Structures are given as structure tokens and as C-alpha cells.
Amino acid sequence: MKKVLLAILVVVMVAIGIVGLSACAEDQTLKIVGYTDENGNFVPIQLTDEKYAFAVNKMDTQLRDQVNAVLANKKTEIDAIIAKGFDGSELTKVTPVAKDPAKRAQQLIIATSADFPPFESTSDEVDYYGIDMEIAQLIATELGKELVIENMIFDSVISAVQSGKADLGMAGMTVTSDRLVSVNFCTEYYQASQVLVVKSGDKTFDNCKSKADVEKILKTLEGISVGSQSGTTGYDYINDGYEALTAEGYEDAGLAMKDMQNGAVQIVIVDLAPAQLLVKSFNAQVE
């Protein structure tokens, strides 16, 4: 009888363990904070109104004017490049040349942070893809120069342009008053916004329908870590208005989202376009 009772107890304990593990298994998929409208369409809640442009050295007004002329004269082609970046079309490979100090005048050196699809990405530091990279190739061709791409952390792009180590900073970069202290910007070419990304099971923002709704909740949160790419407007957004939140900086938003899956941060803030691609990629890996 004792053996029978022991066997039953073991079975029950195993069953409880299985149920417990199932209960603890957490959905690792991610979602952008937003709502579904009356037509059944998902609407991301946009927290900022930003414009992207290319950074140029304050002393190099000639290059700024040349780039602005290309942006104006090639607007149709540039609009097509931007549209392609979002419609699932096959990406066009951009292969730069190596930097050659002896050919400095014949080369256009671009500083970027190639971890921000669909604007820039690379897997091997040889070939590059994305909206900014294709526009960079177009500008170089129009100026009759060879294209050089230098990949670096986002925080270093402005200083590379300011110091003259790079001619242009092209990294999905928002025009801000702080950055205008160090560099000038060419004509704005894309409108962007910051959004929040959370785990799919997180209900914190489920009833939000507007920026005001989201910000009201953010102001009530304490002891929450928010991940973002260091040096970005998303990082500044959390640091400037929410003292009770902790802004955690990362080299790229993908690392922040991975840390959120692991529980190190509870929220990630990032530009809408990269957020859409990153969430899709992360969820495909989990599912």
C-alpha cells in the first residue's frame, strides 16, 4: 500500500510540476503599443514628431548645397527608395570601396550605424543595405565620387562628421537642437516618430488610444527600466521627462528588445519603422 501511495504521490507531483512549468512559461513575443480602430486596423501610438536628415560639417556648406541639390533633383528616385524600404521589395546591395587617404577628394565618406533597418544594415561589414545606404550611393554617383561607408556606434556618428573624419552622417538621424550645435543638416527627407514596444502579455497600455494616454501611464510608473539605443531621441525622450523611469542605453534597439525578452528591461522605445521590422523578426523567431 505504501508503494502504491508513493507511486500516486510521485505522479501527482510530476503533474503539478508540469502544470507549474506551463503556468510559468511566458509569451516571448513582442508588440508595439497601439490600438485597433473601428475599421479593424492597428494604429501605433506615436509619441514624437521627428524628421530625418543627413548630418554635414558646419564648415562644408558646399557639400550641404550639393547634397540638397541631389535630394531635390532626384526626389522621384529617392521617394521610390524609401517606399521600397517598407513594402517588402528585395533590398539592393550597396558595396562601398575602401577608404584611401591618397584619394580623399575623390571619395565620399559616410558615417553610419548599420543596425537600424530599414535605413541601414549589414551582416558582414562589406555589403550594406537600406534606405540611407541606397541614397548614399545615389549621392556619391551624382557627385562623381567613390562611396566609402564607415560603420560605428550611433553615438559616434555626429563626432565623426564634426571632426571631418566623415563627410556625411547617414543613420536614420533626427534633426534636433542639440545636434545642430555640432553639425548642420541637409534637407529633411523622412518623417519619423518614437513608439513603445512591450511583451505581448503586458497589458499596461492596452486601453491607450493616444499619446496623452500613454504619457499619463508612463508618469505613474516607478522602478521600470526602459531600453533604447544610446544617443537617440528615444533615449532622450525617457531621460528628459520621466525621472521615475530608468533609461538603459544599448548599442542598438535589437539588443534592447532581446534584454526585454530576458526580463532586464520592461519597455523599449524606438522609431516606428525599425520597431515594426524588429518586432516582426523577433516574433518569427519565437513562433
Side-chain angles (χ1 to χ4, degrees):
M1 180 63 71
K2 290 182 179 179
K3 290 183 178 179
V4 173
L5 289 174
L6 181 60
I8 293 173
L9 181 60
V10 170
V11 171
V12 171
M13 290 179 67
V14 170
I16 291 173
I18 292 173
V19 172
L21 287 173
S22 298
C24 292
E26 185 179 3
D27 185 356
Q28 292 297 304
T29 60
L30 309 176
K31 66 181 179 182
I32 295 172
V33 170
Y35 63 94
T36 301
D37 66 16
E38 58 186 13
N39 297 316
N41 299 313
F42 178 73
V43 181
I45 296 177
Q46 302 181 37
L47 302 177
T48 60
D49 182 9
E50 307 175 18
K51 292 179 172 60
Y52 287 175
F54 307 134
V56 62
N57 189 284
K58 280 185 172 291
M59 302 299 293
D60 202 345
T61 56
Q62 181 181 16
L63 177 59
R64 182 195 62 192
D65 293 343
Q66 289 174 330
V67 172
N68 283 344
V70 175
L71 294 175
N73 296 334
K74 297 294 181 178
K75 187 177 186 307
T76 300
E77 290 95 324
I78 290 170
D79 287 346
I81 289 171
I82 293 172
K84 186 179 66 172
F86 295 98
D87 68 9
S89 298
E90 183 177 354
L91 298 174
T92 300
K93 180 173 66 176
V94 175
T95 304
V97 302
K99 182 166 68 173
D100 184 352
K103 300 171 65 178
R104 182 66 180 90
Q106 288 77 48
Q107 294 186 328
L108 181 70
I109 302 176
I110 302 299
T112 193
S113 181
D115 46 29
F116 199 63
F119 290 90
E120 40 267 325
S121 62
T122 182
S123 60
D124 55 13
E125 304 283 339
V126 175
D127 297 320
Y128 290 80
Y129 300 87
I131 293 168
D132 286 347
M133 300 297 92
E134 291 191 41
I135 296 176
Q137 183 63 77
L138 176 63
I139 292 171
T141 300
E142 288 298 306
L143 298 184
K145 295 189 175 185
E146 297 176 339
L147 178 64
V148 175
I149 297 176
E150 297 206 322
N151 189 20
M152 59 191 70
I153 61 172
F154 185 82
D155 260 351
S156 298
V157 172
I158 289 292
S159 59
V161 174
Q162 184 181 25
S163 66
K165 294 179 180 178
D167 298 313
L168 294 173
M170 302 177 70
M173 186 169 291
T174 301
V175 179
T176 68
S177 56
D178 286 344
R179 290 170 182 162
L180 282 168
V181 173
S182 303
V183 296
N184 284 333
F185 283 93
C186 302
T187 304
E188 298 155 350
Y189 69 101
Y190 181 77
Q191 187 166 341
S193 63
Q194 298 295 314
V195 296
L196 299 185
V197 178
V198 296
K199 287 185 177 180
S200 294
D202 189 332
K203 308 297 183 183
T204 306
F205 303 98
D206 278 9
N207 294 322
C208 294
K209 295 291 177 62
S210 67
K211 170 185 174 181
D213 291 341
V214 171
E215 292 183 335
K216 183 177 180 180
I217 291 176
L218 285 174
K219 289 175 182 177
T220 68
L221 301 179
E222 295 184 5
I224 298 296
S225 295
V226 182
S228 62
Q229 186 173 24
S230 297
T232 63
T233 48
Y235 186 81
D236 293 340
Y237 177 89
I238 295 299
N239 264 322
D240 292 345
Y242 303 96
E243 292 78 7
L245 301 178
T246 300
E248 299 287 352
Y250 293 83
E251 284 193 16
D252 63 73
L255 291 175
M257 290 188 188
K258 188 66 177 176
D259 249 11
M260 182 165 62
Q261 285 183 319
N262 294 331
V265 299
Q266 290 71 52
I267 301 170
V268 170
I269 184 167
V270 63
D271 292 48
L272 175 58
Q276 291 171 323
L277 292 182
L278 286 168
V279 166
K280 182 178 180 180
S281 174
F282 269 83
N283 289 351
Q285 294 173 31
V286 172
E287 296 168 352

PDB file of all heavy atoms in Angstrom, residues 30-62:
ATOM      1  N   LEU A  30       6.549  40.026 -28.947  1.00  0.00           N
ATOM      2  CA  LEU A  30       6.535  41.455 -28.642  1.00  0.00           C
ATOM      3  C   LEU A  30       5.428  42.158 -29.410  1.00  0.00           C
ATOM      4  O   LEU A  30       4.933  41.649 -30.411  1.00  0.00           O
ATOM      5  CB  LEU A  30       7.890  42.073 -28.993  1.00  0.00           C
ATOM      6  CG  LEU A  30       9.145  41.378 -28.440  1.00  0.00           C
ATOM      7  CD1 LEU A  30      10.397  42.061 -28.966  1.00  0.00           C
ATOM      8  CD2 LEU A  30       9.128  41.353 -26.924  1.00  0.00           C
ATOM      9  N   LYS A  31       5.075  43.354 -28.948  1.00  0.00           N
ATOM     10  CA  LYS A  31       4.062  44.139 -29.655  1.00  0.00           C
ATOM     11  C   LYS A  31       4.380  45.625 -29.508  1.00  0.00           C
ATOM     12  O   LYS A  31       4.983  46.066 -28.534  1.00  0.00           O
ATOM     13  CB  LYS A  31       2.671  43.853 -29.086  1.00  0.00           C
ATOM     14  CG  LYS A  31       2.466  44.308 -27.651  1.00  0.00           C
ATOM     15  CD  LYS A  31       1.064  43.976 -27.136  1.00  0.00           C
ATOM     16  CE  LYS A  31       0.881  44.430 -25.680  1.00  0.00           C
ATOM     17  NZ  LYS A  31      -0.452  44.078 -25.138  1.00  0.00           N
ATOM     18  N   ILE A  32       3.975  46.372 -30.510  1.00  0.00           N
ATOM     19  CA  ILE A  32       4.064  47.825 -30.462  1.00  0.00           C
ATOM     20  C   ILE A  32       2.823  48.346 -29.738  1.00  0.00           C
ATOM     21  O   ILE A  32       1.713  47.850 -29.955  1.00  0.00           O
ATOM     22  CB  ILE A  32       4.139  48.409 -31.888  1.00  0.00           C
ATOM     23  CG1 ILE A  32       5.449  47.963 -32.566  1.00  0.00           C
ATOM     24  CG2 ILE A  32       4.059  49.940 -31.863  1.00  0.00           C
ATOM     25  CD1 ILE A  32       5.528  48.325 -34.041  1.00  0.00           C
ATOM     26  N   VAL A  33       3.007  49.324 -28.887  1.00  0.00           N
ATOM     27  CA  VAL A  33       1.868  49.894 -28.170  1.00  0.00           C
ATOM     28  C   VAL A  33       0.993  50.683 -29.140  1.00  0.00           C
ATOM     29  O   VAL A  33       1.478  51.581 -29.852  1.00  0.00           O
ATOM     30  CB  VAL A  33       2.344  50.803 -27.019  1.00  0.00           C
ATOM     31  CG1 VAL A  33       1.178  51.599 -26.430  1.00  0.00           C
ATOM     32  CG2 VAL A  33       3.016  49.970 -25.929  1.00  0.00           C
ATOM     33  N   GLY A  34      -0.275  50.332 -29.194  1.00  0.00           N
ATOM     34  CA  GLY A  34      -1.218  50.985 -30.090  1.00  0.00           C
ATOM     35  C   GLY A  34      -2.608  50.454 -29.846  1.00  0.00           C
ATOM     36  O   GLY A  34      -2.879  49.837 -28.815  1.00  0.00           O
ATOM     37  N   TYR A  35      -3.490  50.660 -30.803  1.00  0.00           N
ATOM     38  CA  TYR A  35      -4.884  50.224 -30.645  1.00  0.00           C
ATOM     39  C   TYR A  35      -5.457  49.848 -32.006  1.00  0.00           C
ATOM     40  O   TYR A  35      -4.876  50.173 -33.064  1.00  0.00           O
ATOM     41  CB  TYR A  35      -5.728  51.329 -30.005  1.00  0.00           C
ATOM     42  CG  TYR A  35      -5.818  52.591 -30.844  1.00  0.00           C
ATOM     43  CD1 TYR A  35      -6.877  52.795 -31.730  1.00  0.00           C
ATOM     44  CD2 TYR A  35      -4.829  53.580 -30.745  1.00  0.00           C
ATOM     45  CE1 TYR A  35      -6.949  53.942 -32.505  1.00  0.00           C
ATOM     46  CE2 TYR A  35      -4.896  54.726 -31.519  1.00  0.00           C
ATOM     47  CZ  TYR A  35      -5.964  54.906 -32.393  1.00  0.00           C
ATOM     48  OH  TYR A  35      -6.037  56.036 -33.158  1.00  0.00           O
ATOM     49  N   THR A  36      -6.581  49.168 -32.002  1.00  0.00           N
ATOM     50  CA  THR A  36      -7.274  48.790 -33.238  1.00  0.00           C
ATOM     51  C   THR A  36      -8.425  49.766 -33.468  1.00  0.00           C
ATOM     52  O   THR A  36      -9.260  49.969 -32.579  1.00  0.00           O
ATOM     53  CB  THR A  36      -7.816  47.359 -33.135  1.00  0.00           C
ATOM     54  OG1 THR A  36      -6.715  46.472 -32.881  1.00  0.00           O
ATOM     55  CG2 THR A  36      -8.506  46.950 -34.429  1.00  0.00           C
ATOM     56  N   ASP A  37      -8.466  50.393 -34.643  1.00  0.00           N
ATOM     57  CA  ASP A  37      -9.510  51.386 -34.917  1.00  0.00           C
ATOM     58  C   ASP A  37     -10.814  50.710 -35.322  1.00  0.00           C
ATOM     59  O   ASP A  37     -10.910  49.469 -35.376  1.00  0.00           O
ATOM     60  CB  ASP A  37      -9.061  52.395 -35.974  1.00  0.00           C
ATOM     61  CG  ASP A  37      -8.851  51.777 -37.352  1.00  0.00           C
ATOM     62  OD1 ASP A  37      -9.322  50.646 -37.597  1.00  0.00           O
ATOM     63  OD2 ASP A  37      -8.216  52.432 -38.202  1.00  0.00           O
ATOM     64  N   GLU A  38     -11.820  51.506 -35.612  1.00  0.00           N
ATOM     65  CA  GLU A  38     -13.165  50.987 -35.905  1.00  0.00           C
ATOM     66  C   GLU A  38     -13.210  50.156 -37.176  1.00  0.00           C
ATOM     67  O   GLU A  38     -14.147  49.385 -37.395  1.00  0.00           O
ATOM     68  CB  GLU A  38     -14.154  52.146 -36.010  1.00  0.00           C
ATOM     69  CG  GLU A  38     -13.782  53.170 -37.066  1.00  0.00           C
ATOM     70  CD  GLU A  38     -14.686  54.388 -37.057  1.00  0.00           C
ATOM     71  OE1 GLU A  38     -15.444  54.560 -36.080  1.00  0.00           O
ATOM     72  OE2 GLU A  38     -14.620  55.164 -38.034  1.00  0.00           O
ATOM     73  N   ASN A  39     -12.182  50.298 -38.019  1.00  0.00           N
ATOM     74  CA  ASN A  39     -12.121  49.517 -39.256  1.00  0.00           C
ATOM     75  C   ASN A  39     -11.277  48.258 -39.103  1.00  0.00           C
ATOM     76  O   ASN A  39     -11.037  47.545 -40.078  1.00  0.00           O
ATOM     77  CB  ASN A  39     -11.563  50.373 -40.397  1.00  0.00           C
ATOM     78  CG  ASN A  39     -12.448  51.559 -40.712  1.00  0.00           C
ATOM     79  OD1 ASN A  39     -13.674  51.423 -40.782  1.00  0.00           O
ATOM     80  ND2 ASN A  39     -11.843  52.731 -40.903  1.00  0.00           N
ATOM     81  N   GLY A  40     -10.828  48.015 -37.888  1.00  0.00           N
ATOM     82  CA  GLY A  40     -10.022  46.816 -37.645  1.00  0.00           C
ATOM     83  C   GLY A  40      -8.556  46.982 -37.965  1.00  0.00           C
ATOM     84  O   GLY A  40      -7.819  45.992 -38.010  1.00  0.00           O
ATOM     85  N   ASN A  41      -8.099  48.213 -38.182  1.00  0.00           N
ATOM     86  CA  ASN A  41      -6.697  48.466 -38.497  1.00  0.00           C
ATOM     87  C   ASN A  41      -5.915  48.810 -37.232  1.00  0.00           C
ATOM     88  O   ASN A  41      -6.399  49.560 -36.369  1.00  0.00           O
ATOM     89  CB  ASN A  41      -6.585  49.627 -39.488  1.00  0.00           C
ATOM     90  CG  ASN A  41      -7.289  49.343 -40.793  1.00  0.00           C
ATOM     91  OD1 ASN A  41      -7.133  48.278 -41.375  1.00  0.00           O
ATOM     92  ND2 ASN A  41      -8.086  50.299 -41.259  1.00  0.00           N
ATOM     93  N   PHE A  42      -4.708  48.251 -37.129  1.00  0.00           N
ATOM     94  CA  PHE A  42      -3.867  48.566 -35.980  1.00  0.00           C
ATOM     95  C   PHE A  42      -3.236  49.941 -36.165  1.00  0.00           C
ATOM     96  O   PHE A  42      -2.686  50.255 -37.229  1.00  0.00           O
ATOM     97  CB  PHE A  42      -2.773  47.523 -35.797  1.00  0.00           C
ATOM     98  CG  PHE A  42      -1.852  47.837 -34.645  1.00  0.00           C
ATOM     99  CD1 PHE A  42      -2.279  47.677 -33.337  1.00  0.00           C
ATOM    100  CD2 PHE A  42      -0.570  48.319 -34.875  1.00  0.00           C
ATOM    101  CE1 PHE A  42      -1.450  47.990 -32.270  1.00  0.00           C
ATOM    102  CE2 PHE A  42       0.273  48.626 -33.818  1.00  0.00           C
ATOM    103  CZ  PHE A  42      -0.171  48.462 -32.509  1.00  0.00           C
ATOM    104  N   VAL A  43      -3.290  50.765 -35.116  1.00  0.00           N
ATOM    105  CA  VAL A  43      -2.745  52.120 -35.162  1.00  0.00           C
ATOM    106  C   VAL A  43      -1.671  52.265 -34.082  1.00  0.00           C
ATOM    107  O   VAL A  43      -1.997  52.292 -32.886  1.00  0.00           O
ATOM    108  CB  VAL A  43      -3.849  53.177 -34.928  1.00  0.00           C
ATOM    109  CG1 VAL A  43      -3.253  54.587 -35.002  1.00  0.00           C
ATOM    110  CG2 VAL A  43      -4.985  53.004 -35.926  1.00  0.00           C
ATOM    111  N   PRO A  44      -0.395  52.343 -34.454  1.00  0.00           N
ATOM    112  CA  PRO A  44       0.653  52.560 -33.450  1.00  0.00           C
ATOM    113  C   PRO A  44       0.488  53.946 -32.836  1.00  0.00           C
ATOM    114  O   PRO A  44       0.150  54.908 -33.541  1.00  0.00           O
ATOM    115  CB  PRO A  44       1.951  52.476 -34.266  1.00  0.00           C
ATOM    116  CG  PRO A  44       1.569  51.841 -35.564  1.00  0.00           C
ATOM    117  CD  PRO A  44       0.148  52.223 -35.817  1.00  0.00           C
ATOM    118  N   ILE A  45       0.723  54.065 -31.541  1.00  0.00           N
ATOM    119  CA  ILE A  45       0.640  55.366 -30.888  1.00  0.00           C
ATOM    120  C   ILE A  45       2.004  56.044 -30.989  1.00  0.00           C
ATOM    121  O   ILE A  45       2.983  55.582 -30.415  1.00  0.00           O
ATOM    122  CB  ILE A  45       0.198  55.220 -29.423  1.00  0.00           C
ATOM    123  CG1 ILE A  45      -1.223  54.641 -29.367  1.00  0.00           C
ATOM    124  CG2 ILE A  45       0.253  56.571 -28.709  1.00  0.00           C
ATOM    125  CD1 ILE A  45      -1.732  54.382 -27.970  1.00  0.00           C
ATOM    126  N   GLN A  46       2.041  57.142 -31.728  1.00  0.00           N
ATOM    127  CA  GLN A  46       3.292  57.841 -31.996  1.00  0.00           C
ATOM    128  C   GLN A  46       3.513  58.930 -30.945  1.00  0.00           C
ATOM    129  O   GLN A  46       2.656  59.793 -30.742  1.00  0.00           O
ATOM    130  CB  GLN A  46       3.260  58.423 -33.403  1.00  0.00           C
ATOM    131  CG  GLN A  46       3.029  57.344 -34.466  1.00  0.00           C
ATOM    132  CD  GLN A  46       3.006  57.879 -35.875  1.00  0.00           C
ATOM    133  OE1 GLN A  46       3.760  58.793 -36.220  1.00  0.00           O
ATOM    134  NE2 GLN A  46       2.147  57.314 -36.714  1.00  0.00           N
ATOM    135  N   LEU A  47       4.664  58.879 -30.298  1.00  0.00           N
ATOM    136  CA  LEU A  47       4.944  59.767 -29.174  1.00  0.00           C
ATOM    137  C   LEU A  47       5.669  61.043 -29.557  1.00  0.00           C
ATOM    138  O   LEU A  47       5.690  62.001 -28.773  1.00  0.00           O
ATOM    139  CB  LEU A  47       5.772  59.016 -28.122  1.00  0.00           C
ATOM    140  CG  LEU A  47       5.140  57.734 -27.568  1.00  0.00           C
ATOM    141  CD1 LEU A  47       6.093  57.060 -26.594  1.00  0.00           C
ATOM    142  CD2 LEU A  47       3.808  58.039 -26.887  1.00  0.00           C
ATOM    143  N   THR A  48       6.277  61.072 -30.719  1.00  0.00           N
ATOM    144  CA  THR A  48       7.029  62.257 -31.144  1.00  0.00           C
ATOM    145  C   THR A  48       6.773  62.536 -32.614  1.00  0.00           C
ATOM    146  O   THR A  48       6.243  61.691 -33.336  1.00  0.00           O
ATOM    147  CB  THR A  48       8.548  62.057 -30.949  1.00  0.00           C
ATOM    148  OG1 THR A  48       8.966  60.918 -31.731  1.00  0.00           O
ATOM    149  CG2 THR A  48       8.897  61.824 -29.491  1.00  0.00           C
ATOM    150  N   ASP A  49       7.159  63.714 -33.039  1.00  0.00           N
ATOM    151  CA  ASP A  49       7.082  64.105 -34.446  1.00  0.00           C
ATOM    152  C   ASP A  49       8.485  64.537 -34.858  1.00  0.00           C
ATOM    153  O   ASP A  49       8.948  65.618 -34.474  1.00  0.00           O
ATOM    154  CB  ASP A  49       6.083  65.244 -34.623  1.00  0.00           C
ATOM    155  CG  ASP A  49       5.921  65.663 -36.087  1.00  0.00           C
ATOM    156  OD1 ASP A  49       6.447  64.950 -36.966  1.00  0.00           O
ATOM    157  OD2 ASP A  49       5.294  66.700 -36.339  1.00  0.00           O
ATOM    158  N   GLU A  50       9.175  63.679 -35.602  1.00  0.00           N
ATOM    159  CA  GLU A  50      10.576  63.921 -35.921  1.00  0.00           C
ATOM    160  C   GLU A  50      10.807  63.891 -37.426  1.00  0.00           C
ATOM    161  O   GLU A  50      10.023  63.319 -38.170  1.00  0.00           O
ATOM    162  CB  GLU A  50      11.449  62.857 -35.249  1.00  0.00           C
ATOM    163  CG  GLU A  50      11.216  62.722 -33.760  1.00  0.00           C
ATOM    164  CD  GLU A  50      12.010  61.582 -33.138  1.00  0.00           C
ATOM    165  OE1 GLU A  50      12.980  61.125 -33.780  1.00  0.00           O
ATOM    166  OE2 GLU A  50      11.658  61.143 -32.036  1.00  0.00           O
ATOM    167  N   LYS A  51      11.913  64.482 -37.826  1.00  0.00           N
ATOM    168  CA  LYS A  51      12.298  64.467 -39.239  1.00  0.00           C
ATOM    169  C   LYS A  51      13.750  64.029 -39.354  1.00  0.00           C
ATOM    170  O   LYS A  51      14.620  64.522 -38.630  1.00  0.00           O
ATOM    171  CB  LYS A  51      12.077  65.838 -39.879  1.00  0.00           C
ATOM    172  CG  LYS A  51      10.595  66.211 -39.996  1.00  0.00           C
ATOM    173  CD  LYS A  51      10.409  67.575 -40.598  1.00  0.00           C
ATOM    174  CE  LYS A  51       8.922  67.839 -40.888  1.00  0.00           C
ATOM    175  NZ  LYS A  51       8.095  67.784 -39.674  1.00  0.00           N
ATOM    176  N   TYR A  52      14.008  63.113 -40.287  1.00  0.00           N
ATOM    177  CA  TYR A  52      15.358  62.628 -40.543  1.00  0.00           C
ATOM    178  C   TYR A  52      16.050  63.517 -41.577  1.00  0.00           C
ATOM    179  O   TYR A  52      15.419  64.010 -42.521  1.00  0.00           O
ATOM    180  CB  TYR A  52      15.325  61.216 -41.114  1.00  0.00           C
ATOM    181  CG  TYR A  52      14.958  60.119 -40.143  1.00  0.00           C
ATOM    182  CD1 TYR A  52      14.805  58.811 -40.603  1.00  0.00           C
ATOM    183  CD2 TYR A  52      14.776  60.350 -38.792  1.00  0.00           C
ATOM    184  CE1 TYR A  52      14.463  57.779 -39.745  1.00  0.00           C
ATOM    185  CE2 TYR A  52      14.445  59.325 -37.923  1.00  0.00           C
ATOM    186  CZ  TYR A  52      14.286  58.044 -38.412  1.00  0.00           C
ATOM    187  OH  TYR A  52      13.950  57.021 -37.568  1.00  0.00           O
ATOM    188  N   ALA A  53      17.353  63.655 -41.397  1.00  0.00           N
ATOM    189  CA  ALA A  53      18.171  64.368 -42.383  1.00  0.00           C
ATOM    190  C   ALA A  53      19.607  63.872 -42.247  1.00  0.00           C
ATOM    191  O   ALA A  53      19.951  63.161 -41.297  1.00  0.00           O
ATOM    192  CB  ALA A  53      18.095  65.875 -42.179  1.00  0.00           C
ATOM    193  N   PHE A  54      20.451  64.267 -43.197  1.00  0.00           N
ATOM    194  CA  PHE A  54      21.851  63.853 -43.199  1.00  0.00           C
ATOM    195  C   PHE A  54      22.703  64.945 -42.565  1.00  0.00           C
ATOM    196  O   PHE A  54      22.575  66.129 -42.913  1.00  0.00           O
ATOM    197  CB  PHE A  54      22.334  63.574 -44.619  1.00  0.00           C
ATOM    198  CG  PHE A  54      21.462  62.598 -45.359  1.00  0.00           C
ATOM    199  CD1 PHE A  54      21.066  62.845 -46.668  1.00  0.00           C
ATOM    200  CD2 PHE A  54      21.013  61.433 -44.744  1.00  0.00           C
ATOM    201  CE1 PHE A  54      20.255  61.947 -47.348  1.00  0.00           C
ATOM    202  CE2 PHE A  54      20.204  60.531 -45.418  1.00  0.00           C
ATOM    203  CZ  PHE A  54      19.822  60.794 -46.719  1.00  0.00           C
ATOM    204  N   ALA A  55      23.572  64.549 -41.639  1.00  0.00           N
ATOM    205  CA  ALA A  55      24.448  65.496 -40.952  1.00  0.00           C
ATOM    206  C   ALA A  55      25.635  65.849 -41.832  1.00  0.00           C
ATOM    207  O   ALA A  55      26.196  64.992 -42.525  1.00  0.00           O
ATOM    208  CB  ALA A  55      24.925  64.903 -39.629  1.00  0.00           C
ATOM    209  N   VAL A  56      26.028  67.105 -41.802  1.00  0.00           N
ATOM    210  CA  VAL A  56      27.176  67.573 -42.571  1.00  0.00           C
ATOM    211  C   VAL A  56      27.963  68.564 -41.725  1.00  0.00           C
ATOM    212  O   VAL A  56      27.391  69.279 -40.895  1.00  0.00           O
ATOM    213  CB  VAL A  56      26.723  68.223 -43.911  1.00  0.00           C
ATOM    214  CG1 VAL A  56      25.847  69.440 -43.641  1.00  0.00           C
ATOM    215  CG2 VAL A  56      27.904  68.588 -44.789  1.00  0.00           C
ATOM    216  N   ASN A  57      29.268  68.614 -41.911  1.00  0.00           N
ATOM    217  CA  ASN A  57      30.132  69.513 -41.160  1.00  0.00           C
ATOM    218  C   ASN A  57      29.694  70.965 -41.351  1.00  0.00           C
ATOM    219  O   ASN A  57      29.354  71.386 -42.463  1.00  0.00           O
ATOM    220  CB  ASN A  57      31.580  69.334 -41.612  1.00  0.00           C
ATOM    221  CG  ASN A  57      32.565  70.060 -40.733  1.00  0.00           C
ATOM    222  OD1 ASN A  57      32.707  71.275 -40.803  1.00  0.00           O
ATOM    223  ND2 ASN A  57      33.268  69.314 -39.884  1.00  0.00           N
ATOM    224  N   LYS A  58      29.700  71.737 -40.269  1.00  0.00           N
ATOM    225  CA  LYS A  58      29.247  73.129 -40.331  1.00  0.00           C
ATOM    226  C   LYS A  58      30.063  73.973 -41.307  1.00  0.00           C
ATOM    227  O   LYS A  58      29.553  74.950 -41.864  1.00  0.00           O
ATOM    228  CB  LYS A  58      29.304  73.752 -38.929  1.00  0.00           C
ATOM    229  CG  LYS A  58      28.123  73.396 -38.044  1.00  0.00           C
ATOM    230  CD  LYS A  58      28.203  74.138 -36.728  1.00  0.00           C
ATOM    231  CE  LYS A  58      26.931  73.950 -35.915  1.00  0.00           C
ATOM    232  NZ  LYS A  58      25.779  74.644 -36.525  1.00  0.00           N
ATOM    233  N   MET A  59      31.311  73.602 -41.504  1.00  0.00           N
ATOM    234  CA  MET A  59      32.178  74.371 -42.394  1.00  0.00           C
ATOM    235  C   MET A  59      31.988  74.006 -43.861  1.00  0.00           C
ATOM    236  O   MET A  59      32.408  74.758 -44.749  1.00  0.00           O
ATOM    237  CB  MET A  59      33.650  74.148 -42.000  1.00  0.00           C
ATOM    238  CG  MET A  59      33.981  74.520 -40.566  1.00  0.00           C
ATOM    239  SD  MET A  59      33.682  76.272 -40.229  1.00  0.00           S
ATOM    240  CE  MET A  59      34.964  77.006 -41.268  1.00  0.00           C
ATOM    241  N   ASP A  60      31.359  72.872 -44.121  1.00  0.00           N
ATOM    242  CA  ASP A  60      31.258  72.394 -45.507  1.00  0.00           C
ATOM    243  C   ASP A  60      29.894  72.737 -46.107  1.00  0.00           C
ATOM    244  O   ASP A  60      29.076  71.867 -46.402  1.00  0.00           O
ATOM    245  CB  ASP A  60      31.498  70.884 -45.553  1.00  0.00           C
ATOM    246  CG  ASP A  60      31.929  70.414 -46.939  1.00  0.00           C
ATOM    247  OD1 ASP A  60      31.764  71.190 -47.907  1.00  0.00           O
ATOM    248  OD2 ASP A  60      32.437  69.285 -47.047  1.00  0.00           O
ATOM    249  N   THR A  61      29.665  74.009 -46.311  1.00  0.00           N
ATOM    250  CA  THR A  61      28.393  74.444 -46.890  1.00  0.00           C
ATOM    251  C   THR A  61      28.270  74.035 -48.357  1.00  0.00           C
ATOM    252  O   THR A  61      27.166  73.827 -48.853  1.00  0.00           O
ATOM    253  CB  THR A  61      28.243  75.969 -46.775  1.00  0.00           C
ATOM    254  OG1 THR A  61      29.373  76.608 -47.389  1.00  0.00           O
ATOM    255  CG2 THR A  61      28.161  76.392 -45.308  1.00  0.00           C
ATOM    256  N   GLN A  62      29.409  73.871 -49.021  1.00  0.00           N
ATOM    257  CA  GLN A  62      29.368  73.444 -50.419  1.00  0.00           C
ATOM    258  C   GLN A  62      28.788  72.040 -50.541  1.00  0.00           C
ATOM    259  O   GLN A  62      27.911  71.799 -51.389  1.00  0.00           O
ATOM    260  CB  GLN A  62      30.769  73.479 -51.041  1.00  0.00           C
ATOM    261  CG  GLN A  62      30.774  73.053 -52.520  1.00  0.00           C
ATOM    262  CD  GLN A  62      32.172  73.060 -53.128  1.00  0.00           C
ATOM    263  OE1 GLN A  62      33.168  73.100 -52.411  1.00  0.00           O
ATOM    264  NE2 GLN A  62      32.248  73.019 -54.444  1.00  0.00           N
TER     265      GLN A  62
END
